[in-house]
Amino acid sequence: MSEKELRRSMSVLPIGTVMKLTDLSARQIRYYEQQELILPERNEGNRRMYSLNDIDRLLEIKDYLDEGLNISGIKEVYKKQQMIEQEKKKNREKQLTDTDVRRILEDEFLHISGLMPPSSTLNNQKL
DNA sequence: ATTCTTACA
DNA sequence: TGTAAGGA
């Protein structure tokens, strides 16, 4: 994870600040948590601490609500987004496999043509 | 002062 | 969703 992503995911904001930043009531913010639309961390004193990503998420939720979506509808949206994320993860793995195949074919070509000894081009190629 | 949970004359 | 109550 990049430093930037790390900062955005750091839970450092108390609910009072989140209320001002999102213009949502504490009631609403806690309710969305119950619905698992956000999962803020808790500090030593059981106080909810939010990250900048949580802020974005809450603003996003507010927009969806204004657009007429209900809580369950928003849940479905995020559920499908998770599905897409996992699809991309699989594709990335497949992409690396293809790259590997290309390296192997390239190596085949080089020693079949007698320019290099076998496997001399496949040294420690990390996946 | 702030936030937490629970409950609803 | 708002708000009150009682504790941390």
Side-chain angles (χ1 to χ4, degrees), chain A residues 12-89:
Chain A
V12 296
L13 311 169
I15 197 169
T17 301
V18 178
M19 289 172 68
K20 295 172 182 172
L21 258 31
T22 63
D23 193 41
L24 289 169
S25 66
R27 181 80 161 90
Q28 292 174 305
I29 297 171
R30 298 192 186 108
Y31 176 66
Y32 301 152
E33 175 183 355
Q34 276 193 306
Q35 300 310 304
E36 299 180 276
L37 267 46
I38 52 174
L39 15 138
E41 294 176 3
R42 298 293 184 109
N43 63 15
E44 316 72 44
N46 193 42
R47 262 115 170 96
R48 276 170 264 251
M49 297 302 276
Y50 302 82
S51 70
L52 294 177
N53 282 327
D54 291 328
I55 300 295
D56 290 336
R57 180 79 148 196
L58 287 167
L59 293 172
E60 201 170 73
I61 292 170
K62 197 167 67 163
D63 287 336
Y64 282 135
L65 255 24
D66 289 332
E67 292 172 25
L69 251 57
N70 53 37
I71 299 297
S72 55
I74 297 175
K75 285 185 183 178
E76 290 177 33
V77 170
Y78 290 140
K79 194 166 188 175
K80 290 182 179 179
Q81 282 188 359
Q82 293 174 53
M83 297 293 275
I84 293 175
E85 289 172 40
Q86 290 173 40
E87 287 298 317
K88 289 188 175 182
K89 185 175 184 178

Side-chain angles (χ1 to χ4, degrees), chain A residues 96-108:
Chain A
L96 290 173
T97 296
D98 291 342
T99 297
D100 230 31
V101 170
R102 181 182 57 68
R103 286 183 181 140
I104 292 172
L105 292 174
E106 192 171 89
D107 185 69
E108 286 294 308

